[in-house]
Every structure is written in C-alpha cells, then in structure tokens.
Amino acid sequence: MKLKEIISSLEQLAPPSFQESYDNSGLITGDPGMDITGALISLDCLEQIVDEAIANKCNLVVSHHPIVFSGLKKISGRNYVERTIIKAIKNDIAIYAIHTNLDNVHHGVNAKIAEKLGVKNTKILSEKRDILRKFVTYCPEKDAEKVREALWKAGAGEIGNYNEVSFNINGTGTYKGNELSNPAIGEKGKRMNEPEVRIEMIYTVHQEGAILRALRESHPYEEIAYDLLQIDNAWQYVGSGMYGELETEMEAADFLRHIQKEMLAPVVRHTTVPGKKIKRVAFCGGSGAFLVRDAMRVKADIFVTSDLKYHQFFDGEDKMILADIGHFENEQFTIDLLYDYLTQKFPTFAVRRTGLKTNPITYLT
C-alpha cells in the first residue's frame, strides 16, 4: 500500500481545504510514494506513539492533532515536538494529521459525538464560508450533455441531497480563428456564429482541479471559455460544531450524567439552570468557546465542549447550560472514527488503534 493511496482516501473523508487557517493538517513527515506496512491511529502523535508504531511494525501514524502547529526553525531535540519528529524521521515513520478539516465535515468528529450522545437530526452550528465556487462555461449545443455529464462525474453540481444540478442558457457564441487555429467547428479566418449553451454549476473548492480536467477532456473547442467565481454563500455541510435533538427530553442532571458516562469523562464542569430540561443539544469537539453565541442563537438547552475559561461560563446567561467535559474526552472517539473508516476502505490493510492514552491531564479524585 502506497502512502499516497491512504492520503487520497483520508482527503476524500476530510479535504485539507476545509481546515482552519491556523491549522497544519496533512502529511508532516514521510514520502507519498513510500510503501506502508501498517497504520497506527491516535489522537496525538508523541514520542511514545512513534515507539508504539515501531513496536507494531506500523510505519504510518494517523493522528487527529498535528505534532507541528507552527514552523520549526531548528530540530535539535530541545522539546517533545522536535524529539518526536527526529524519532519519526530516523525510523522512516510517516505522520499524517487530520485535524480541523475532520472537525468541520458533517460526518467527522462532531458526528461521532452526536452518535455517542444520541443526538439526532444534526446540523452544522456555524457554517463555513469561502468553500463554494460557481463554474461557468460555454459549449456548442450538441456537446452540452457530454460536457455536463463529465462535470457532474468530477463532482460539480452537488447541493445537499441533490446532484446533477446545473443552470443552462441558450445563446450565440462568435469566434474567428487565425491562421494557426484548428477550429472544431467552422473554418479558420471565417467568423462563426455558433448556437451555444452557457452551463453554470456550483462546486466545492477542493474539486476544482478535477473539474477543470473533466472540462478539457470533454469540451470540443481548442480554446475553452470558462469562469471560476468565488461566492460568499455559507455551506450547510461544512463548519464548526453541531446541534440536534434528543428523541426524548431529559432532566438536566440526568443528561449530564449521561454525558459523563458515554464520553468517559471523569469530570464534567457545568453551569446550572434551575428546572432546565434538555431537548436541543449543541456541541463541539475540541475547544468550542467561540461557538457559545451560536449555540444560544439556535436555542440549545445545553452546549457541550471543552477548554472553557472561568468567565466564559457566564456567557450562557442563565438561558443555556454550558458543559466542559475535557479536550481529550470529547475527541477521543475520533480514533474509532478513523479506524472504522480506514478498515472499511482498505479491509486487508493493517490498521491499529493506539493502546496508549495521550491525555496530558489527570484528575485527583
């Protein structure tokens, strides 16, 4: 199994273009052309994780958190980040991180939390912008269906539960080729008035390369006219956090105990709203304080996340319970998500979950 095959599959699950600007998802060490003997799945990639990979003959670590967030000017083993990178390179271990791009897809980290908590009918809490583009091209009427089919196959024209979406306008295109031209229709040196179709489709930014290749392969013209337009629409399937509803509402105390049990959380820090019952639940894997106002906007009864500071607990304003269950605790099942995905995609390939708990926080009970 080549590393690039595994990377391609992971990037179908969570395209790198969906990550946040501060993030460093993707291949951190390793050569995409290298042969992979096995993959170890972890939440963090530390020295002991690399040791575990070596012991289990896995030369790939797929982690949720990137070991390198900011640029390294020196790699001399002064801290755990540098030591991990040195050990991985010395032992020919590839490291691939799939972080906020996996947080932001609707079938990613937050979908796993929804599954654990029993939250149904989920939606993205804060939809991401700068993901969607509009593609416009012009082609002869007789070739329009062929071009549309090629573009759809490349991923264009998918909106929510609908695919093969396009808008088409008939018109007339004019052109005159010079002596070096080789027109598909008409003669060089002669102005042509050709019945054409303007084809418009929506696509996501990571599909652009495939769509342009499909256009070139299917379009009859020597010189193809097309526009790529950035649009400001938010996309309801990519973004931060999620919210949904329980099948049956629960008393707040019962739901908090439910969270603690299902998320294996030793401690749940939370605010109290007297007499509150829980039906609508908002949540965010990792640090989600920036989404408190969004959770209130959708009228959530509780917002479950981690890394809340003291004063941020006041932001619920006695209208919504805020619950902090710990960063490791609310993301730990990402390991299962990645393991299940890779074993389904590559059923004969050796994929292992880490046996180590990388949580740097312990609790005195």
Side-chain angles (χ1 to χ4, degrees), residues 99-275:
H99 189 211
T100 54
N101 48 330
L102 189 60
D103 289 333
N104 284 337
V105 292
H106 69 96
H107 47 268
V109 174
N110 291 306
K112 194 66 179 179
I113 295 173
E115 177 188 319
K116 298 297 292 185
L117 296 182
V119 181
K120 309 293 184 183
N121 303 318
T122 55
K123 297 180 180 179
I124 296 292
L125 186 56
S126 178
E127 298 166 351
K128 195 170 180 63
R129 296 184 181 275
D130 197 31
I131 292 292
L132 294 175
R133 300 286 188 272
K134 180 185 281 189
F135 173 85
V136 180
T137 192
Y138 309 81
C139 72
E141 288 181 355
K142 65 182 182 61
D143 297 288
E145 187 62 20
K146 177 186 175 184
V147 171
R148 279 192 294 263
E149 290 284 353
L151 296 172
W152 288 331
K153 188 175 180 180
E158 294 184 4
I159 302 177
N161 295 321
Y162 297 85
N163 56 25
E164 299 188 5
V165 177
S166 70
F167 185 74
N168 303 271
I169 304 172
N170 290 80
T172 301
T174 65
Y175 56 87
K176 182 169 71 171
N178 62 23
E179 65 277 5
L180 300 177
S181 67
N182 184 27
I185 301 173
E187 303 173 19
K188 64 179 69 176
K190 180 179 179 181
R191 187 179 69 228
M192 296 299 300
N193 294 274
E194 180 65 23
E196 292 184 341
V197 179
R198 173 187 169 113
I199 301 172
E200 300 182 10
M201 294 186 186
I202 297 295
Y203 68 97
T204 52
V205 63
H206 71 283
Q207 298 169 319
E208 191 164 286
I211 288 168
L212 290 178
R213 285 192 297 272
L215 176 68
R216 295 185 186 104
E217 291 170 2
S218 62
H219 202 290
Y221 282 173
E222 185 177 27
E223 300 290 348
I224 305 171
Y226 65 90
D227 302 321
L228 304 176
L229 307 175
Q230 183 173 335
I231 57 178
D232 195 40
N233 304 47
W235 194 25
Q236 68 268 36
Y237 293 99
V238 175
S240 302
M242 274 188 169
Y243 70 99
E245 295 187 345
L246 302 175
E247 287 188 359
T248 305
E249 70 176 13
M250 299 175 66
E251 297 289 343
D254 292 336
F255 186 66
L256 288 165
R257 282 190 286 267
H258 173 68
I259 294 171
Q260 186 172 34
K261 176 185 176 184
E262 295 300 323
M263 301 302 291
L264 305 179
V267 173
V268 177
R269 300 190 303 150
H270 64 90
T271 58
T272 299
V273 178

Side-chain angles (χ1 to χ4, degrees), residues 288-339:
F290 68 102
L291 291 171
V292 171
R293 294 297 176 191
D294 292 284
M296 293 184 69
R297 173 180 51 80
V298 299
K299 296 180 171 55
D301 300 310
I302 188 170
F303 179 48
V304 184
T305 188
S306 70
D307 301 340
L308 293 174
K309 297 179 180 179
Y310 175 83
H311 288 95
Q312 291 169 335
F313 278 98
F314 290 108
D315 291 343
E317 298 183 357
D318 295 330
K319 298 176 182 178
M320 176 182 71
I321 297 174
L322 296 177
D324 184 330
I325 67 173
H327 197 120
F328 177 88
E329 286 74 16
N330 78 353
E331 290 189 328
Q332 61 186 305
F333 300 105
T334 304
I335 296 172
D336 297 330
L337 169 68
L338 291 169
Y339 175 85

